[in-house]
Each structure stands twice: as structure tokens, then as C-alpha cells.
Amino acid sequence: MRRPRAVSPRRQVPRTKVAVPGPPADLVSRPRLLAVLDRVHEAGLVFVGAPAGFGKTVLLAEWARRRGRGAVAWLAADADDNDDRLFWSAVLEALARSGRFADGDPLRFLAVPESPSTDLAFLAELADVLDTLPEPLVLVLDSAHEITSPEPWRGLRTLVRHQPAGLCLAVSSRREPPLPLGRARLADRLVEIGAEQLRFTAGEAEALFGAADPAIPRDQVAPLVDRTGGWPAGLRLAAASAARHGSLWDFDTGRDGAALAYLTDEVLAPLAPEQRELLRTISVCDDVPAGLAPVLCERADTEAMLHELSGPSVRAVDSDGSPPHHRVTPLLRTYLRAELHRRAPDRARTLHATAARWFAGHDRPAPALLHSVCAGNPSRVGELLRAHAVPLFLAGEHQILRLALAEVEDRRVAADPLMALVSAALSLEAAETSAAGLRLAWADAVWPDRPSAELFVLRQLARSRLAQLDRTPAQARRAAGQIDEGLGTGLDELAAAHRASALADREEARQTLERILAAAEEHEQTVTVAYCLAALAEIACHDGDYPEMAQFARRAGNVQPPQDSPRSFQRAQAAALLAYGALVRGEPEDCVRHAKRVAQWLGDAPARAARTLRLFAETLRGAAEFELGGWHSGLRRMRRARRRLGTSRSCPAHHAVLCAVLEHRAALRLGAAGQAKEAVRWAAPALAGSGEELLVRARTQLRLGRRHAASSVLRALAEDEAPMTLPWAAIEATLTGVQAALAAEAPERAARLLDDALRAAGPAGVRFPFVFAPPDLVRFLTSRLGALGTGERFAGEILAVRRRLRTPPMPEPLTERERGVLRLLPTQRSIDEIAEDLTVSPNTVKTHVRGIYAKLAVRSRREAVAVARERGLLDAEVPGFAG
């Protein structure tokens, strides 16, 4: 090794410049990125590159802290590092403070010459020192974009080219540094993390908001990630805004001052004035197709400027080449647009009008209509509606149509039958039947003597949909059957779908709907596609093909972007069927998640179908919560939903049967015999003559210990072939027979029935009756492993799901007499008075009280009342109302 030259004073370096930054209060660890950085020793060079606010420093600092003292040297670059001698003084100081070099190490005496980056002797001495390290040291050069002078980069290139064995260089920058990255990529010696990898996922955003504790509901996290593009700074600004204001309203509307200041300082300030003006101008458009920007900006060089702004150094504009268009990044666009409307409203309206004319001239009616609304031109909005409302409705552009109809005002809508019918159709999509009925009346009042075929079919469709949502099934079938066909309008496929969904033969309906679906997808008719998928999901549900039901429901829910339909009956319907499918598969967490979305999509829609769908979803959610261990809360949810609906005659028979079967099952298992009876009485009209009626009777007999009576009922079910409304309930009935056989000590019959149940359940993926079966049945299933034949694999899946769920054991239920005593405990009556009320002896009451205390794990009357109320055992009666 060369002997160190005479010591020369180094430039003074602030300690904070060479210290690893501490973690922020809301640090979200990102193991997926830390694992990428850990490959540094395989590569030798790391580049973390992204625009401002992507968390480059936070990521590298966490990585450095995890590696520990002596593994990383940190240098935070700033404008002073354009002085070559100061830069290399800082490099040596960072290396010395890393903890890797002893007090007498040659590095500490290495002099910094006047021009270190061109002094090959200095660079060679530094390389020699680093070569002696037994383990490579990572030098992090953070914020390297601050170094704009070529001299420091020249010296770094020389050092990297020789690549000392003891040095790994990690650079973070807003733009690609002048280092030989291309050669390193080609040689697979570069670890690279870019903006796309640095964007937060929905899970990471949830962790961020959980740490910051802002007023951001969990269901708003994923949409917020979409709006910000996962930009870490944007999400932190959202969290801070929500904490200050209690909601995201200010942030989402571009009114948060802190967010505006950050965007101005970090994103806009480095740009040239003409670039900032370009961004403000095109911010009026969500998408800027090729050719529109020059018209808006009245400049010929806008495309070149947009290309520059979409580069990695700025990323103020995202570009897409198919078809060519640009868009200002969402958060920046929101604030630029809000500022433009606030400071120059007349110019904003002029720009919107220009954009509207351009889109109309290029056969883009949806954005043309939207920009006409923003320009405040009701007459132009009316013209576009009359020309394009029906195709836009079929294409699913419902939010734009709602904005346009609001701009035209009710009096003009009421005077135009087409606008009134389109407005009615939009109301029906949200299950707002009262509003739809009013708009249908408007259309009837101004109905022309010779309506066009399109107008005629549109009214028929509106009436059919209204009947589906707010009338009886017979009335809905009658309305669908009255729709004319073959009139040659753009509505023909939707009309055919309505007629097909009313067919009595489900197989014929399925085949017809599949043909219509293929045509609607080809013609990009979003509404028809969603309608067909929802109808096909319902048919699969009735047929017991639960995997196909879930597939159709998932597709129906994904047809249209959520932001385009704030309320949607079909989305709610799809979410309800997904919840049903999840429960049948034995996945209660997913069932709860989908069931919650039903309320989100329905809102407070008053339609009869909306009310019954809420019952359906809430019952499924209650059943899932019950199986997850929320026995009392789940059972209480099911009862509350049923009572709120009122009579079961107001809902479809299969909904009523499902709700009764699930609630009866849970109530019996928890010992709430009264609630079990109440659920069966409620659904009696739908249950009459069905296989499910016999199933609930068999369950009840088995619960009472009457195994022979239960077996007799089940034999009657098999012999009489009573039709099952719910296909999976036949499997439940067979498993009830297994329990009865086990209780009668008839293992051979139990084994035969278990094999039958597994054969029937496996192809349809029906795990629910097995996964949540009583312990004795599960033990029997486990004992039969190895002798189940074709059902072996499915049995293994069932047991694996049970192990994963780990639901706690169900508490021993209170007897009916204990429940009677419990109801009187809050009254403060004495034991003697309770005994007198119940016409039993005081000792009997004391025995029941001791049983209550033991089963509730309490020691006093007050504790018993508190725990009973918490579990819903003393829940107040929920007043019902007519559905």
C-alpha cells in the first residue's frame, strides 16, 4: 500500500450530513424493497431513482439502520457538494464515521488535494484503503441530484470503474446519475429500484394510516392509493390533511394548503415557467389525447414539452402510447385544476369549452359532454344528451350523464321524454324507485304521438326494471315479457336480456343470456354486460353451481369502475352473491368483507329488492360472524335484519329460506330455541313443502335428543324427495343424518352418509356444513381419513380450513329456564320474587343462577347482567316495520 501523504486540512463537514437519518414517526417498513437492497453485495452498485416524495431517503435509511454500525457510510448530498474538494472531504468523513476504521487507520490521514476528482494518486490511495476491508462497506450517496457539477461525478466514475473490493456504492437521485449504470445493468451488477416499486401498495398505505391514526376509513384506502398513484408523499399529505380536518374532503378537492405548498415547492418549483403553465392548462382534462394539447395551449411545441415532463426526472405527466395520450398525475392535476378554477374561472371555462369542441369533433361524446358541463353551457349539454344519451347509458357513462342532467335542470328534463327516461334509468341503476317513477311520469306526460323505436323500447325497459326492483316476481316477468323485440335499436340486446331473465326454463335462460353477453361485450355495452352477468350468477346460484356463481358475480362487479357508479344495485347484487359463495366455501372473513360492500353500494335505496338484498347480506354476515366466534353478535345481527324487513312475503322465497335455515342453525347451536322457532315461523310460507322444512324439523329433534325422530324426518326427506330450495342444504341434511346415526351408535350408517355428503359437496366446493360442523362430526370425519376414497382430498381441504380459522370453542348454551331467570336478573327482584314469578321454588332459581354464572364466567349478578347485555342475551326487542 502507498504511504499516506502529508496531512492536509480537510474541509469542515457538518455531522448531520454524514449521519444516517432517524426514522419518521409514521415509518412503514417495506420488506419487499429491503430484500431487493440486500442483493447489493452481489452487484456492487445500487440506484434508487424516483421524483420527489417517493421515500428514497426513508427506505435507504431504514436499510442502513438494519445493517448496523460499521456496514454503511452515509452522505447526504447538497448544493455545497458541487465544490469538488468539499465533496471528497465529506466522503472521507462519512467513511471515517461509519465505525469501520480504527483511529490509526490510513483513511483518517488521507489528504484531500486541490482537485481530488482528477488526482489519480488520491483516488488510487482511497481505493487501496478500501481494498483492505474484510467486508464491503456500503457508501450511501443520498439526494445525488443536488450535485450538478461534473467534477465530483468524474471522480466517482473513476472509483466505480476500479470497483474496490471493500466498497459498494448506493445512490439515490431524482434523475439518473452520470455513472456507468448501463454497463452495470448489462453485467447484472446493478440493483435498481424505481418509482413504480416505490409506490405504496394498499396494504402499505393501511399500515401508514394505522400509524398516523388519521380520520381515513379503511374502505377509502384503496381508492386513495389509486388517486395518488401510490405516491408516498401524497399519502402522507392525505394522512396529515385528514388528521387536521377530520376527513379527506379538503385533500381530495385541492383545498389543502399544506399539500398545495408541497406540490408547489417540490414538483412545480424546479420547472420552467412555460412548463408550469402547460401543466395548468391541460389539467382541465383527465386525459389529453395527441393533438389536444396544442389546441388548448396554442403552442406547437407542446408534445415535446409533454414528453420531457413525462420523463423520470419530473414525472408530472404520465404517457401512454395506445392510443397516444398524456395525463397530469392525479394528485397534481387535482390541485392545478382547483387553483385554475379559483384564480381564473373564466379561463377555466374557456379551456373546457375548447376541449368539448375538440372531443365532439373527434367522435368522443363522453368527454365532450363532461367538458360542456364544466364549461357551464346548458344548451350544448342538451344537444349532446339528445344525440348521445342512450349510447352513453349503455356504455356505462352514468356519472357523466348524471352531471349533465343536473346541468340541464329538472324543468327541461321533464319536458323532454328522452332525458326523462334516461334519468329514470339512472335512478333505477341505483334502486331509487321513487325517483324513477316520478321521471317515468314526466315522460308519459310529454309522450309524442309517434315515438321513435328507441324511445319506445327505452320506456319498456324502464318499466321492466322498475317491476324487477319494486314489484312481485310475477309482475316483473309480465313486464319483461311485454318488451318488444327486433326493432333495430341500440337497446335490442338489453331488451333481449330482460326477456331472457324472465324465462321459466333456467337452462334456456342461461343459453340465451350467454349469447347476448357475447354480443354485448363485442359492442362494449357495459350495462347489458353487467345485467347478463348478474342474471347468470343468479341462475348458477339456483342451480347450486357455486364456483360459477362466484365467477359471474366477480365479473359483474368489475364491469364498471366504482367511481362511475356511487350507487349500484347490480354491484350490490354481485357483492351479495360473492358473500354467499364465500360462506358456502367456508371462508367467513371473505363473506363479511363482501357483505359489508352490499350496504356501500345500496345506500338507503328504498326499493323492495334493495330491502330484501340487505336482509340477504346481513344474514350472511351474521352467519359468518357467528362461525368466526362472534356467536351472540352474529345471531343478533341475523334477528335484527329479519325483524327490520318485516314479513317474509316481501322477499323472494329462496332469500327467506336461506335466512331461516342459517338463523335456525346458529340459534339451535347456541341454545336459543326461542329465536330458532321465531325464524322458522317467519319463513313458514316459503318453507312450506320444501326439503328445508324437513331439515329444520330434523335439526330440532336432534337438538332435543330425539335421534330416532330426527332419523324418521330425514328418511321422509329422502323418500318423498321434497324439493330443496338451497342445493347445499341437501348436504347439510345428509350431515344431520350422520349426527343422528352417531347418536344412535350406528357407525356404518354414519360412514355411508358421510361418504354421500363428501361426494355431493366436493365438485361444488361446498365446505360450509363440514368446516363449521359440531365437534362430534368433525372427530368422526377425522377418524375416517384414509378410508374416504374419492372424498379423501376434499376432506383434507376441509380440515385444513378448520385449522386455519382456529375458531374458539362454542360456549355451553343457556337452557330455556336459565334464559328465563336471566331476563329477570336486571329487575333487581329477589330470588324469592323471581321464584314466585316463574312459579318454581327459590332453590330451583338458585340452581339456575349458579348455572348462569358458570356459563357466563362471572361471579355476581351485576357481572352476569353486563356480560349478558354485551353478548346480546338481554338485547332489547327490535321493532319491526312493514317491508
Side-chain angles (χ1 to χ4, degrees):
M1 180 185 297
R2 296 179 180 83
R3 295 178 58 81
R5 292 177 289 177
V7 175
S8 111
R10 297 176 186 168
R11 300 286 295 274
Q12 192 70 27
V13 178
R15 179 173 297 182
T16 55
K17 186 179 175 69
V18 292
V20 177
D26 59 354
L27 174 68
V28 175
S29 184
R30 309 179 76 182
R32 63 184 178 89
L33 300 181
L34 295 171
V36 175
L37 292 173
D38 283 338
R39 292 174 39 225
V40 62
H41 293 315
E42 304 170 14
L45 186 59
V46 173
F47 174 49
V48 180
F54 271 86
K56 302 180 293 296
T57 299
V58 172
L59 174 66
L60 285 172
E62 183 189 5
W63 182 57
R65 289 191 299 271
R66 285 164 62 100
R67 293 181 69 83
R69 179 172 171 77
V72 176
W74 185 276
L75 173 56
D78 54 37
D80 290 342
D81 291 306
N82 288 298
D83 180 321
D84 194 33
R85 193 157 177 266
L86 179 57
F87 170 74
W88 285 102
S89 296
V91 168
L92 295 178
E93 185 68 16
L95 293 171
R97 286 184 176 273
S98 67
R100 182 66 70 87
F101 298 94
D103 289 343
D105 194 282
L107 177 88
R108 295 183 177 275
F109 305 104
L110 190 59
V112 179
E114 288 300 320
S115 300
S117 287
T118 56
D119 192 319
L120 297 180
F122 163 73
L123 295 173
E125 286 185 53
L126 176 57
D128 285 346
V129 170
L130 294 170
D131 266 328
T132 64
L133 294 176
E135 293 286 336
L137 174 68
V138 177
L139 172 61
V140 175
L141 180 58
D142 189 38
S143 299
H145 54 271
E146 296 283 355
I147 306 175
T148 56
S149 173
E151 282 79 11
W153 290 114
R154 185 180 302 148
L156 274 177
R157 279 198 302 274
T158 302
L159 196 62
V160 169
R161 186 165 58 247
H162 294 295
Q163 193 65 57
L167 176 67
C168 296
L169 180 63
V171 178
S172 82
S173 176
R174 295 182 185 178
R175 54 181 171 267
E176 191 164 301
L179 292 172
L181 300 187
R183 187 189 313 161
R185 287 190 189 102
L186 191 62
D188 197 24
R189 291 188 55 78
L190 176 66
V191 172
E192 196 165 8
I193 295 178
E196 290 306 313
Q197 293 163 285
L198 288 165
R199 295 181 194 278
F200 269 40
T201 64
E204 289 168 341
E206 285 183 6
L208 171 68
F209 298 143
D213 195 27
I216 301 178
R218 187 169 180 177
D219 61 359
Q220 292 185 22
V221 172
L224 180 59
V225 171
D226 289 338
R227 292 198 298 277
T228 59
W231 184 36
L235 292 167
R236 285 189 163 87
L237 290 168
S241 179
R244 284 193 303 273
H245 304 294
S247 75
L248 285 170
W249 189 85
D250 288 83
F251 180 80
D252 285 340
T253 55
R255 289 174 168 81
D256 188 86
L260 177 61
Y262 183 90
L263 292 168
T264 301
D265 293 343
E266 296 295 333
V267 179
L268 296 176
L271 303 181
E274 60 272 18
Q275 290 176 318
R276 292 196 294 270
E277 183 58 27
L278 168 62
L279 291 175
R280 288 192 189 94
T281 300
I282 66 171
S283 70
V284 298
C285 298
D286 291 344
D287 287 295
V288 186
L292 175 56
V295 175
L296 289 173
C297 301
E298 299 179 343
R299 291 181 60 123
D301 60 348
T302 52
E303 293 293 339
M305 292 172 65
L306 286 169
H307 180 72
E308 183 179 348
L309 288 168
S310 66
S313 63
V314 179
R315 203 53 179 272
V317 172
D318 288 326
S319 296
D320 190 345
S322 177
H325 71 275
H326 306 278
R327 65 171 67 89
V328 181
T329 51
L331 184 59
L332 180 60
R333 181 175 67 237
T334 296
Y335 279 81
L336 288 172
R337 187 182 294 174
E339 187 182 25
L340 179 65
H341 281 270
R342 195 163 49 243
R343 294 189 176 185
D346 291 339
R347 181 164 183 260
R349 283 191 291 271
T350 299
L351 289 170
H352 280 298
T354 301
R357 287 192 296 274
W358 189 92
F359 280 114
H362 288 76
D363 196 25
R364 299 277 301 277
L369 183 58
L370 178 60
H371 284 286
S372 295
V373 170
C374 294
N377 189 342
S379 61
R380 180 58 177 154
V381 169
E383 292 173 11
L384 290 169
L385 279 172
R386 281 184 283 274
H388 302 290
V390 171
L392 289 175
F393 173 76
L394 290 171
E397 298 287 0
H398 295 172
Q399 187 61 14
I400 291 176
L401 286 172
R402 288 187 179 95
L403 292 171
L405 288 165
E407 180 71 15
V408 172
E409 299 178 348
D410 280 352
R411 60 185 179 83
R412 295 187 181 181
V413 173
D416 187 311
L418 176 64
M419 290 191 199
L421 288 174
V422 170
S423 182
L426 292 171
S427 296
L428 291 168
E429 287 297 303
E432 295 169 350
T433 48
S434 300
L438 174 63
R439 282 152 179 78
L440 273 168
W442 289 352
D444 289 340
V446 292
W447 197 250
D449 294 334
R450 295 183 178 180
S452 66
E454 181 181 70
L455 201 62
F456 189 76
V457 175
L458 186 59
R459 183 168 70 169
Q460 289 181 326
L461 284 169
R463 288 175 172 171
S464 173
R465 190 60 169 156
L466 181 61
Q468 289 175 347
L469 293 172
D470 222 29
R471 304 288 187 267
T472 65
Q475 290 171 318
R477 285 193 296 272
R478 194 158 49 247
Q482 292 171 352
I483 298 175
D484 286 272
E485 56 182 317
L487 297 181
T489 73
L491 293 161
D492 284 354
E493 286 162 358
L494 183 57
H498 271 252
R499 289 193 302 273
S501 65
L503 291 172
D505 186 327
R506 287 205 295 267
E507 180 58 25
E508 182 185 358
R510 184 185 63 79
Q511 292 178 6
T512 305
L513 285 165
E514 286 179 345
R515 287 197 301 270
I516 298 167
L517 173 62
E521 287 177 329
E522 182 181 350
H523 299 149
E524 297 182 352
Q525 290 191 358
T526 300
V527 168
T528 308
V529 168
Y531 186 90
C532 289
L533 289 170
L536 286 166
E538 284 283 353
I539 291 172
C541 174
H542 285 288
D543 289 343
D545 191 340
Y546 301 112
E548 186 171 80
M549 176 193 76
Q551 180 186 4
F552 281 131
R554 193 171 293 109
R555 289 173 62 190
N558 292 334
V559 167
Q560 199 173 346
Q563 63 270 22
D564 289 348
S565 50
R567 297 274 180 87
S568 171
F569 179 80
Q570 282 180 179
R571 279 186 176 276
Q573 191 178 24
L577 290 176
L578 287 171
Y580 187 23
L583 187 69
V584 169
R585 290 192 306 274
E587 298 172 357
E589 304 102 324
D590 282 352
C591 177
V592 170
R593 178 168 57 85
H594 290 302
K596 287 179 178 179
R597 290 177 179 168
V598 175
Q600 173 189 342
W601 293 119
L602 283 180
D604 56 356
R608 171 180 178 157
R611 296 197 301 274
T612 62
L613 196 58
R614 287 191 198 98
L615 166 69
F616 184 76
E618 282 294 282
T619 300
L620 291 169
R621 181 178 172 185
E625 289 175 349
F626 182 92
E627 302 301 352
L628 286 168
W631 306 291
H632 301 284
S633 62
L635 197 55
R636 189 164 64 245
R637 182 181 297 280
M638 288 188 272
R639 182 183 61 189
R640 188 165 56 238
R642 169 172 50 78
R643 290 181 172 179
R644 283 177 175 169
L645 180 69
T647 174
S648 66
R649 296 183 186 278
S650 61
C651 70
H654 64 280
H655 281 196
V657 170
L658 174 71
C659 294
V661 167
L662 290 176
E663 187 177 357
H664 178 269
R665 181 181 189 276
L668 275 189
R669 291 182 64 196
L670 203 59
Q675 184 171 343
K677 292 176 186 175
E678 184 183 319
V680 173
R681 283 197 302 269
W682 174 82
L687 284 170
S690 71
E692 285 81 6
E693 182 182 27
L694 296 177
L695 170 61
V696 297
R697 283 172 52 192
R699 279 181 185 161
T700 304
Q701 295 296 329
L702 193 61
R703 183 67 186 180
L704 293 171
R706 302 169 184 166
R707 58 181 183 274
H708 296 300
S711 297
S712 297
V713 173
L714 291 169
R715 277 198 301 273
L717 174 60
E719 292 169 2
D720 295 342
E721 297 183 351
M724 281 287 187
T725 304
L726 312 170
W728 66 266
I731 299 166
E732 173 86 356
T734 305
L735 289 180
T736 304
V738 174
Q739 289 180 264
L742 291 174
E745 298 182 356
E748 291 182 0
R749 186 168 79 247
R752 186 175 64 255
L753 290 172
L754 179 61
D755 290 345
D756 291 344
L758 288 169
R759 277 196 299 272
V766 178
R767 299 194 193 102
F768 172 74
F770 299 90
V771 171
F772 305 113
D776 59 334
L777 199 152
V778 175
R779 285 193 295 271
F780 183 65
L781 173 64
T782 305
S783 72
R784 293 276 299 156
L785 289 176
L788 293 172
T790 57
E792 194 76 34
R793 181 176 178 181
F794 188 61
E797 292 178 11
I798 291 163
L799 296 174
V801 172
R802 281 185 60 87
R803 287 192 295 272
R804 180 181 61 80
L805 288 172
R806 295 181 181 176
T807 54
M810 184 172 291
E812 185 180 356
L814 298 179
T815 65
E816 282 300 307
R817 182 61 75 179
E818 287 170 342
R819 284 174 174 270
V821 172
L822 177 63
R823 281 191 286 270
L824 294 174
L825 291 185
T827 64
Q828 299 302 313
R829 285 182 173 86
S830 68
I831 294 294
D832 290 340
E833 289 170 328
I834 291 174
E836 185 177 349
D837 286 345
L838 297 177
T839 64
V840 296
S841 71
N843 284 337
T844 300
V845 173
K846 290 177 183 177
T847 299
H848 291 321
V849 169
R850 284 195 295 271
I852 291 169
Y853 287 3
K855 290 176 181 178
L856 298 184
V858 298
R859 294 184 178 181
S860 69
R861 186 170 181 166
R862 176 175 295 180
E863 282 184 280
V865 171
V867 170
R869 281 180 173 150
E870 179 185 342
R871 294 185 180 180
L873 299 175
L874 289 173
D875 196 26
E877 292 292 311
V878 180
F881 59 88

